Amino acid sequence: MSPWAIALIIYSSLALLSFLPVLRVLVRWVDLNPGGPSFDQSPHFSDDGKLLLAQNFERMQGTLKFWKTQAERYRTFHIYSLAWISLSTVGVPLLAQATTEDPWSKWLLTVVATHSAVLLAVSRAFRVEAHYKAFRSGESEFYDLYRRMLDRPRVFGPDQREQIDRYFENVETVRRVVRSAETDNFPSVEDAQGAVVLRTDSQSSQPGTRQQ
């Protein structure tokens, strides 16, 4: 078997095997971590206040699970894409110089370039990095508010009613910010087309690329 064919099999196998962790994250939901003592055990609030806060936190569970799952999906895919695009950036010019009359060498160059182009197009069209930052920041900001309300409720106001109202307002603000970031980063066909064109142009301008 041609050494180029063996190299193609190795590259394809590694690309597929390294994608399996990404695929596993894409098809499952991430569980929330245990949060420790919650509002039910807080000494700062009355029974009515605890009930209001506990109900609000319970309603946020679905949102928090969605944010955490989305953040993990985008993070995992971003790491996968970044690794393989970086390898392709170095590998494609070297392969272009090393190709021979063996058709397998041209297939290897084509597969490496196409794999990288697809990852780049998907990452840009779906704004993977921006989505990860938005969901991760929203999750982190909510838990900062949550812990602050548990530990230092007086920073929200002098009395319980004001503390709870201001806490709820801050939670709503975090939700609006994340929702706005999600819609602003909505997948774009134009971005996908631009990414493919940009990647194709950069590859065709590589020095030493053989013209067929």
Side-chain angles (χ1 to χ4, degrees):
M1 182 180 290
S2 168
W4 290 103
I6 296 175
L8 177 58
I9 293 173
I10 293 174
Y11 178 89
S12 301
S13 300
L14 290 175
L16 180 59
L17 289 174
S18 60
F19 186 73
L20 292 180
V22 182
L23 183 62
R24 184 164 56 249
V25 172
L26 291 176
V27 299
R28 68 180 179 87
W29 287 86
V30 178
D31 293 328
L32 297 176
N33 295 327
S38 186
F39 292 116
D40 292 337
Q41 292 84 39
S42 175
H44 300 294
F45 306 105
S46 65
D47 290 341
D48 290 340
K50 291 178 181 179
L51 179 61
L52 289 172
L53 292 167
Q55 287 180 347
N56 177 266
F57 183 72
E58 186 175 348
R59 285 191 294 270
M60 282 293 298
Q61 293 297 293
T63 300
L64 291 170
K65 190 170 185 177
F66 175 76
W67 288 352
K68 184 170 185 177
T69 299
Q70 292 297 93
E72 184 63 16
R73 288 171 177 174
Y74 284 113
R75 184 192 70 84
T76 307
F77 186 81
H78 177 65
I79 293 174
Y80 175 84
S81 300
L82 187 62
W84 285 104
I85 290 173
S86 298
L87 289 173
S88 172
T89 301
V90 176
V92 167
L94 297 177
L95 288 173
Q97 293 289 343
T99 51
T100 65
E101 295 304 319
D102 188 339
W104 285 107
S105 67
K106 299 179 177 63
W107 272 113
L108 177 61
L109 176 61
T110 300
V111 169
V112 172
T114 302
H115 182 218
S116 176
V118 169
L119 292 177
L120 181 61
V122 172
S123 294
R124 290 192 172 181
F126 285 85
R127 296 182 172 93
V128 171
E129 185 176 1
H131 270 109
Y132 164 67
K133 290 179 178 179
F135 287 115
R136 184 66 187 89
S137 296
E139 181 191 11
S140 179
E141 183 65 25
F142 171 80
Y143 280 115
D144 285 344
L145 283 171
Y146 173 72
R147 285 188 289 267
R148 194 177 304 128
M149 187 63 169
L150 280 170
D151 299 334
R152 297 184 297 127
R154 283 196 171 274
V155 300
F156 292 93
D159 60 83
Q160 177 178 282
R161 183 69 261 178
E162 184 177 351
Q163 292 166 3
I164 293 176
D165 287 343
R166 188 167 296 177
Y167 170 75
F168 287 167
E169 290 174 3
N170 288 337
V171 171
E172 291 170 1
T173 299
V174 172
R175 294 188 66 172
R176 283 197 300 270
V177 169
V178 175
R179 184 164 55 245
S180 177
E182 182 182 7
T183 55
D184 288 344
N185 293 324
F186 199 74
S188 167
V189 175
E190 289 77 11
D191 285 345
Q193 292 173 334
V196 173
V197 171
L198 177 63
R199 184 64 178 168
T200 302
D201 290 344
S202 65
Q203 288 170 359
S204 63
S205 63
Q206 292 287 351
T209 302
R210 296 169 183 251
Q211 300 295 328
Q212 303 299 323

